[in-house]
Amino acid sequence: MINFIFGIHNHQPLGNFGWVFEDAYNRSYRPFMEILEEFPSMKVAVHFSGPLLEWINENHPEYIELLRRLVKRGQLEIVVAGFYEPVLAAIPKEDRIEQIKLLKEFAKKLGYDAKGVWLTERVWQPELVKTLRESGIEYVIVDDYHFMSAGLSKEELYWPYYTEDSGEVIAVFPIDEKLRYLIPFRPVEKTIEYLESLADNDPSKVAVFHDDGEKFGVWPGTYEWVYKKGWLREFFDAITSNEKINLMLYSEYLSKFTPKGLVYLPIASYFEMSEWSLPAKQAKLFVEFVEKLKKRGEFERYRVFVRGGIWKNFFYKYPESNFMHKRMLYVSKLVRNIPKARKYVFKAQCNDAYWHGVFGGVYLPHLRRAVWENIIRAQSFVFTGNKVFDVDFDGKNEIMLENESFIATIKPHYGGSIFELSSKRKAVNYNDVLARRWEHYHEVPEAATPEEEGNEEGVASIHELGKKIPEEIKRELAYDWQLRAILQDHFIPTTETLDTYRLVKYHELGDFVNQPYEFELYDSGVKLWRNGGIYVEKKVPAKVEKRIELTNDGFLAKYKVSLGEPYKALFGVEVNLAVHSVMESPEEFEADRILVNDTYGIGKVEIGLDRRVRVWKFPIKTLSQSESGWDFIQQGVSYTLLFPIEKELEFEIKFKEL
Ligand code: CA
């Protein structure tokens, strides 16, 4: 006999498009539960995330009734998490408790008193034990990989264990990785064979499957396979009619058996996450290492000792994500005693926009926008005015300017540029623009073919899809040397062109873009300046001074630029805006007023100048992988205002929200 627990986790990111919700609902969430209702002896543990539940509640209330019926019939065990699907380890403990409480309340409405936690992205951190216990949680589900990282062997992982922290214990169920690769991608009998092979005389032995519900219909090819070819019905039928398999739910298991013993788990997530969370260079080495072990036939034997990075280091890998995360933490503290504002903080904690693996994540502008929208809405409850502090914990102070309409965060140590320009009226951060960067999977090794069961019958899982960058993308692909902000100060040779500039094949003469500026706050704004240089045959001293003042509808920047001796160059002020309306090709033109009309993004804004200048305008497009292949996504649009300089220059830029 072997006990078997079958669980799924259904989630759509906050900010995802309505049609994505609808499509996933029709391809997976709805048919899955409808078929479950046909098999009264089938039981499933299920987690629904808050953003998805709120959408369902609004668009398909009949589905909530279906869930209620299934709970009543004992076919569903509801497993919770933080309501808006945060990575629990990445949010303050006060917020963890409140978020879990919110989802427990929802489960109660479905008729279920939830005691278990689906650990979002399975990001484990030992100190979670205490918060989970405080939230009335008795068990948590993680990967067998976590246990193997702790030194346990695979044979020991067909039981839950206790883990302890600060004198509190909690039961932990290991998810069987083998089942994650079999279900639903391989024929049903493969799973049955595997489960049967585990059966022995120990009545407490249990195999756990718990994975994304989207694998049942949303992932490429799976709708056809799972529903049209009848995989799910066949599976439910086979599981419920097999005498060697005893289907169970988590709570049922824990009412019959106690966990096998005590283990301590390291900070970990699933195996693939340990690859993704590494900085790109190291991730490439990691993949090489794994490939080497596989070629030598040694991977299975030594894999428990193979570990990459940890989830939280996405904040190291993507500074834009870190900045967003630390802004969220700042607001979380700021509004902790304002329940109305806290709801927005919880939404801003939704994990998807903060990282990147096989889904777009941080690369998806609409997901980041949803996070920023909620950070801004939450902060709008409290007015703090101008201040100087280290927002993103990098050891260097930022300047946060605030008036009735805007919050602007300036990094004096990084070009004195604006890294956040948040409009309270529109709840949008105009500078939510991701830089173009190299990812380790941009170089695909020749022999990147599906391994192990790749040639068997079934449907390819995401990890097996072959990839090669199309030529038309390669031509336009460029990697930035700088983060993208507003008011980045360039010195450019007069011979450079829009193409060399946007494809990062130009020569930057100055040392201003990512270098420190000194600053001084005054009543209505901040003065920033840098004594730097332009580097030609010899260094020509150069000074850039800018005064930035927030206005009711944007900001005003007053520039003074001077060279120590005459030199002919272009002084370029770059303004990166989170414009999403697709820009087909780069543009060069002259103007004294640039009108931006971005219907689905930042809306209407205007950049006004006190003279006519040449403008280089181009879309910033990043290359990332997704479940369907390559995404070449417009993160925003760069506008560079070009001022000829020989010795001295003074001008003004006015940014206006319309
Ligand atoms: Ca800082």
Side-chain angles (χ1 to χ4, degrees):
M1 263 272 280
I2 179 77
N3 296 304
F4 175 49
I5 297 173
F6 179 77
I8 56 168
H9 148 68
N10 292 332
H11 167 60
Q12 287 298 323
L14 181 90
N16 217 350
F17 304 116
W19 62 266
V20 177
F21 279 88
E22 187 67 44
D23 184 62
Y25 176 76
N26 286 317
R27 294 175 79 87
S28 171
Y29 312 137
R30 185 179 52 80
F32 187 97
M33 290 300 165
E34 283 175 358
I35 291 173
L36 179 60
E37 203 177 22
E38 292 172 21
F39 291 82
S41 52
M42 184 67 204
K43 291 180 270 194
V44 180
V46 63
H47 164 250
F48 282 92
S49 75
L52 180 56
L53 284 174
E54 287 186 338
W55 182 88
I56 290 173
N57 215 7
E58 200 164 299
N59 296 277
H60 295 282
E62 72 281 6
Y63 189 77
I64 302 287
E65 288 312 312
L66 171 60
L67 295 180
R68 207 170 270 143
R69 280 203 303 279
L70 289 166
V71 167
K72 209 170 176 190
R73 282 162 55 164
Q75 283 187 263
L76 282 188
E77 168 163 21
I78 308 288
V79 177
V80 297
F83 192 88
Y84 289 101
E85 198 65 3
V87 161
L88 289 173
I91 65 170
K93 73 171 194 305
E94 293 86 347
D95 295 351
R96 292 176 194 161
I97 291 170
E98 214 46 42
Q99 287 237 38
I100 291 171
K101 200 171 112 190
L102 278 176
L103 199 48
K104 281 187 74 154
E105 279 165 10
F106 202 102
K108 271 222 175 92
K109 282 187 205 154
L110 295 177
Y112 200 89
D113 184 16
K115 299 281 185 210
V117 149
W118 162 259
L119 195 62
T120 298
E121 297 306 327
R122 277 96 88 206
V123 179
W124 175 255
Q125 195 159 287
E127 47 99 25
L128 285 177
V129 175
K130 206 159 188 298
T131 358
L132 293 176
R133 293 300 295 152
E134 267 179 60
S135 309
I137 296 301
E138 288 168 7
Y139 68 89
V140 55
I141 308 145
V142 303
D143 287 272
D144 51 9
Y145 180 68
H146 291 68
F147 290 78
M148 290 193 272
S149 300
L152 276 78
S153 60
K154 182 64 202 169
E155 302 75 57
E156 297 172 278
L157 299 181
Y158 299 102
W159 296 269
Y161 287 80
Y162 277 130
T163 193
E164 176 270 345
D165 191 67
S166 307
E168 302 274 356
V169 293
I170 197 163
V172 197
F173 283 90
I175 299 166
D176 188 302
E177 193 195 33
K178 175 93 179 165
L179 286 173
R180 279 215 296 132
Y181 282 90
L182 289 174
I183 299 173
F185 304 106
R186 308 293 170 214
V188 169
E189 63 262 27
K190 296 280 177 196
T191 300
I192 303 298
E193 273 167 32
Y194 175 65
L195 287 174
E196 284 179 345
S197 78
L198 298 175
D200 66 16
N201 295 328
D202 184 341
S204 70
K205 193 172 178 182
V206 59
V208 176
F209 169 87
H210 206 129
D211 209 343
D212 296 350
E214 293 78 25
K215 286 186 174 178
F216 301 81
V218 180
W219 281 28
T222 55
Y223 183 74
E224 174 86 12
W225 174 251
V226 171
Y227 301 106
K228 289 197 175 159
K229 291 194 177 157
W231 187 93
L232 194 64
R233 281 198 176 86
E234 197 190 320
F235 178 73
F236 285 173
D237 189 43
I239 290 294
T240 49
S241 61
N242 190 305
E243 286 180 357
K244 285 185 193 156
I245 300 169
N246 181 40
L247 186 68
M248 275 195 148
L249 293 169
Y250 295 108
S251 51
E252 205 179 336
Y253 183 96
L254 288 175
S255 69
K256 282 194 179 139
F257 309 107
T258 48
K260 198 173 174 71
L262 178 66
V263 294
Y264 289 88
L265 305 175
I267 291 180
S269 175
Y270 44 92
F271 182 76
E272 297 90 336
M273 189 67 93
S274 92
E275 172 194 320
W276 301 331
S277 58
L278 283 172
K281 264 190 192 166
Q282 299 304 107
K284 186 164 184 277
L285 274 182
F286 182 81
V287 171
E288 267 176 44
F289 179 50
V290 169
E291 287 302 318
K292 234 173 214 172
L293 287 175
K294 280 181 180 168
K295 268 197 190 120
R296 290 166 58 156
E298 292 174 345
F299 181 65
E300 284 311 315
R301 180 174 171 82
Y302 295 117
R303 59 175 308 209
V304 301
F305 307 115
V306 180
R307 299 184 65 194
I310 61 169
W311 190 88
K312 276 192 172 178
N313 251 8
F314 281 113
F315 299 139
Y316 172 78
K317 187 172 184 176
Y318 303 108
E320 296 93 337
S321 162
N322 182 58
F323 186 72
M324 197 163 71
H325 179 251
K326 302 309 178 287
R327 280 290 280 107
M328 174 278 286
L329 290 182
Y330 169 73
V331 180
S332 165
K333 222 182 222 176
L334 194 67
V335 304
R336 195 149 297 157
N337 298 317
I338 310 172
K340 264 189 181 164
R342 255 188 124 182
K343 179 99 177 175
Y344 296 112
V345 173
F346 297 156
K347 288 187 177 185
Q349 293 172 337
C350 187
N351 78 87
D352 305 78
Y354 290 101
W355 65 285
H356 171 61
V358 78
F359 302 99
V362 71
Y363 276 98
L364 300 179
H366 59 288
L367 299 191
R368 292 200 310 275
R369 190 170 69 209
V371 169
W372 273 111
E373 178 190 327
N374 287 290
I375 289 173
I376 298 162
R377 285 198 197 288
Q379 192 163 342
S380 300
F381 282 80
V382 182
F383 184 86
T384 51
N386 299 348
K387 59 197 164 304
V388 176
F389 68 109
D390 185 0
V391 176
D392 52 4
F393 305 155
D394 66 350
K396 290 158 192 141
N397 278 341
E398 278 75 36
I399 304 160
M400 194 182 272
L401 301 180
E402 182 177 14
N403 68 6
E404 291 304 319
S405 324
F406 287 91
I407 300 162
T409 307
I410 298 165
K411 283 180 180 281
H413 57 277
Y414 201 113
S417 304
I418 302 174
F419 279 78
E420 173 197 355
L421 180 63
S422 290
S423 157
K424 295 184 195 175
R425 188 165 64 86
K426 289 192 195 168
V428 73
N429 170 11
Y430 288 111
N431 185 52
D432 177 17
V433 181
L434 196 73
R436 302 170 292 183
R437 44 172 67 78
W438 179 76
E439 291 284 1
H440 71 288
Y441 51 76
H442 285 183
E443 282 170 43
V444 187
E446 286 298 314
T449 48
E451 48 166 274
E452 287 177 48
E453 300 119 315
N455 294 323
E456 284 182 35
E457 193 194 343
V459 57
S461 91
I462 287 174
H463 309 282
E464 299 168 2
L465 296 174
K467 286 171 180 177
K468 211 172 179 196
I469 304 174
E471 276 308 312
E472 66 270 23
I473 291 180
K474 260 190 184 163
R475 275 198 300 275
E476 290 292 304
L477 186 58
Y479 301 121
D480 289 322
W481 56 280
Q482 91 269 26
L483 294 169
R484 299 213 154 261
I486 294 172
L487 303 186
Q488 292 186 297
D489 306 329
H490 298 270
F491 281 96
I492 304 165
T494 51
T495 49
E496 296 291 355
T497 64
L498 168 58
D499 273 349
T500 59
Y501 179 67
R502 71 184 180 89
L503 296 172
V504 202
K505 290 172 180 163
Y506 78 109
H507 184 58
E508 176 83 38
L509 295 175
D511 59 354
F512 292 85
V513 174
N514 55 3
Q515 293 300 307
Y517 278 55
E518 290 173 77
F519 71 93
E520 205 175 78
L521 277 175
Y522 56 92
D523 272 358
S524 48
V526 61
K527 178 176 129 180
L528 298 129
W529 70 94
R530 172 175 173 77
N531 289 301
I534 57 179
Y535 298 81
V536 279
E537 292 86 48
K538 57 181 174 116
K539 176 178 169 182
V540 177
K543 184 179 179 185
V544 175
E545 183 194 298
K546 50 188 169 187
R547 286 167 180 265
I548 304 174
E549 295 172 8
L550 288 183
T551 59
N552 282 334
D553 52 7
F555 69 82
L556 173 67
K558 293 180 195 166
Y559 269 85
K560 272 188 196 169
V561 187
S562 58
L563 301 181
E565 52 192 86
Y567 187 83
K568 276 188 185 172
L570 293 170
F571 182 69
V573 178
E574 185 171 13
V575 176
N576 289 289
L577 298 179
V579 172
H580 298 151
S581 304
V582 173
M583 192 185 166
E584 297 299 343
S585 49
E587 291 168 26
E588 182 170 2
F589 55 92
E590 279 189 11
D592 57 6
R593 187 167 162 265
I594 303 167
L595 202 63
V596 179
N597 190 356
D598 184 29
T599 322
Y600 300 104
I602 58 173
K604 280 186 184 166
V605 301
E606 180 191 289
I607 303 169
L609 292 153
D610 57 3
R611 72 197 63 180
R612 211 170 160 79
V613 297
R614 191 140 55 98
V615 180
W616 284 343
K617 175 182 170 191
F618 67 92
I620 296 139
K621 295 179 88 172
T622 56
L623 182 65
S624 56
Q625 65 181 5
S626 75
E627 63 273 40
S628 53
W630 291 110
D631 284 344
F632 199 41
I633 300 175
Q634 180 174 314
Q635 298 295 340
V637 170
S638 160
Y639 303 82
T640 300
L641 319 169
L642 296 161
F643 301 83
I645 184 168
E646 199 169 340
K647 189 76 174 53
E648 278 181 351
L649 182 65
E650 266 188 54
F651 59 89
E652 282 186 17
I653 299 174
K654 241 187 207 158
F655 178 94
K656 250 168 83 177
E657 182 175 85
L658 301 174

